[in-house]
Amino acid sequence: MTARPNIQKLSETKPFWNVLIYADSGTGKTVFAGSDLKVLFIAPEDDGLMSAQRMGSSADKITVEKWEDIKQAYDYFSENPEELSNYNVLSIDSLTEMQFLAKDYVLRMSADEKRRKGQDPDKLQLQDYGTLHEIVEQMVRGFNDLPVNVLWTATSKKVEDADGNEFLVPELQGKKEYGI
């Protein structure tokens, strides 16, 4: 006999949402992401936040210069989730840029080993792509599990399916042309 599935009322489930918005640069993703009254940005591109500021956003921001800053922010909020109760939305602007920071991190962590092997320390090797994919996926899943609404932004790119139809996808590196 099959066990009865765990059925819950929607009213008893986690009340937080996770959304990804992707579009071309300059289309208003950041302005939208900062439009709530209580927003906390995690964003490596200060010039990107300027557009939200000019449109009247009163958001706060966490300074991000490298991958370790993102990890530190996640670690802090996972250990101190009550800090997020001051915000309605955690806006991560942008996932595309975050992946570039993760790529830089992977290259820095593997540089000495690559030099010993006579490889170019500035180029990802096959195993580096796996590491890159894992740390970005862990970051996304981790932030999505925090007790706050999470709004991700990403730039977009045009791809073509097998029938020649063009469509937009988030601009992320990953397997195939469609990214992560």
Side-chain angles (χ1 to χ4, degrees):
M1 175 182 245
T2 304
R4 182 176 188 269
N6 182 11
I7 299 171
Q8 291 181 304
K9 295 195 176 295
L10 284 178
S11 61
E12 297 170 358
T13 60
K14 184 176 165 182
F16 303 110
W17 46 260
N18 303 301
V19 175
L20 168 64
I21 297 174
Y22 58 97
D24 292 335
S25 295
T27 57
K29 299 178 301 292
T30 302
V31 171
F32 177 75
S35 63
D36 193 88
L37 294 177
K38 295 178 172 182
V39 175
L40 176 61
F41 273 105
I42 296 180
E45 301 173 292
D46 278 343
D47 58 336
L49 294 182
M50 234 187 295
S51 60
Q53 183 184 19
R54 286 182 181 154
M55 295 303 290
S57 177
S58 60
D60 294 335
K61 73 170 188 164
I62 293 174
T63 302
V64 173
E65 296 176 6
K66 57 189 184 300
W67 178 257
E68 292 89 328
D69 298 331
I70 299 165
K71 180 154 178 22
Q72 178 186 12
Y74 170 73
D75 289 345
Y76 179 78
F77 289 126
S78 65
E79 293 169 13
N80 302 283
E82 68 281 357
E83 292 282 332
L84 293 168
S85 65
N86 297 321
Y87 299 98
N88 294 332
V89 180
L90 177 62
S91 291
I92 303 180
D93 185 41
S94 83
L95 184 54
T96 304
E97 187 63 27
M98 299 291 180
Q99 190 180 49
F100 285 122
L101 294 176
K103 177 182 173 184
D104 179 63
Y105 172 77
V106 169
L107 287 171
R108 283 186 285 119
M109 295 300 106
S110 63
D112 289 341
E113 182 181 340
K114 287 178 183 168
R115 284 187 194 96
R116 282 193 300 276
K117 292 179 177 179
Q119 298 172 338
D120 185 345
D122 296 324
K123 289 193 177 178
L124 290 175
Q125 300 295 320
L126 191 57
Q127 68 274 14
D128 296 329
Y129 284 102
T131 302
L132 174 62
H133 176 81
E134 281 182 35
I135 66 172
V136 171
E137 182 179 358
Q138 286 174 354
M139 177 196 63
V140 170
R141 289 181 186 276
F143 276 111
N144 284 350
D145 287 342
L146 291 174
V148 66
N149 299 311
V150 180
L151 177 64
W152 299 86
T153 67
T155 53
S156 62
K157 65 180 177 180
K158 235 181 240 182
V159 296
E160 200 173 279
D161 66 15
D163 297 325
N165 299 313
E166 288 186 341
F167 59 100
L168 295 177
V169 297
E171 187 173 352
L172 298 169
Q173 289 184 338
K175 293 179 183 178
K176 302 188 181 184
E177 214 175 304
Y178 302 151
I180 255 179

